[in-house]
Amino acid sequence: MGKYLQRRGGKHERHERFAWVSDDLQQLMWAPVADAHDQSASKLRTIPMASITAVTEGVKTHILKKMAKRAAEPHSSISLSFSRKPLQLRAPLALDENCAFSVICRERVIDFYAEDQASRDAWLRDLKTALMYAHTYDQKAAMAAVQNLTAAPTKASDPESDSDEA
């Protein structure tokens, strides 16, 4: 999954990150793909699920709008030589609105980019379910709901659903 950098003065370009929710559904976590399973890694980042106020699909935040505009502009690869090693500027990565989603927290916004719309929709479904149960019910109910949603077959992949309609 891609995540957009949100530093002042930087290019904010998307970079690969491994994202997951902790086993107890209390933390949203992400790390560089190489450090994904090392929870003691210095580049591991987390936010409490309790601080998440909303999740949204598409290009709705300032950074995503900026990156969509940047990707739509015509660019050419430019080489600049200010030192011994030339600086190569790359064209921005394409941005498909159907793959983007944002996690809005009290203290920050985290913009993600899924590989495809199906994985984005799965992330949104699971995050919304975990948040709904976490804010209104208990933790065990939230974990059971997410597991049930994840295990439930989709209508498109369920061969028995086609035979019922005929």
Side-chain angles (χ1 to χ4, degrees):
M1 173 177 318
K3 181 188 165 301
Y4 282 91
L5 194 61
Q6 298 196 14
R7 283 193 204 140
R8 295 178 196 262
K11 289 290 184 193
H12 309 285
E13 194 58 69
R14 182 170 72 230
H15 51 282
E16 285 299 310
R17 291 293 182 254
F18 183 77
W20 70 99
V21 176
S22 64
D23 291 338
D24 63 359
L25 299 179
Q26 298 300 307
Q27 301 285 323
L28 176 62
M29 308 163 97
W30 65 93
V33 175
D35 298 332
H37 299 292
D38 181 11
Q39 294 196 8
S40 65
S42 63
K43 295 189 179 191
L44 174 70
R45 300 290 183 247
T46 67
I47 56 163
M49 293 289 279
S51 74
I52 297 174
T53 57
V55 290
T56 182
E57 62 187 52
V59 176
K60 295 190 174 122
T61 65
H62 172 73
I63 295 295
L64 287 177
K65 286 178 181 177
K66 179 178 177 180
M67 297 312 295
K69 181 180 176 186
R70 193 169 169 245
E73 293 173 353
H75 286 83
S76 61
S77 184
I78 302 170
S79 242
L80 301 173
S81 295
F82 294 114
S83 63
R84 293 190 309 239
K85 188 175 181 182
L87 174 65
Q88 189 78 336
L89 300 177
R90 293 182 289 163
L93 297 172
L95 186 104
D96 180 1
E97 184 171 343
N98 295 321
C99 297
F101 68 99
S102 301
V103 176
I104 302 167
C105 306
R106 291 183 190 114
E107 59 277 348
R108 65 184 293 184
V109 175
I110 306 160
D111 296 307
F112 289 104
Y113 191 81
E115 293 176 9
D116 54 31
Q117 184 175 355
S119 40
R120 183 213 54 191
D121 291 345
W123 262 99
L124 287 171
R125 179 198 64 212
D126 293 346
L127 278 172
K128 288 176 182 179
T129 302
L131 290 169
M132 179 186 70
Y133 277 90
H135 288 282
T136 58
Y137 302 106
D138 64 15
Q139 175 190 3
K140 290 180 183 177
M143 291 175 68
V146 171
Q147 289 171 350
N148 287 341
L149 281 173
T150 305
T154 61
K155 282 194 171 197
S157 64
D158 187 6
E160 292 181 12
S161 67
D162 293 335
S163 63
D164 291 342
E165 294 175 2

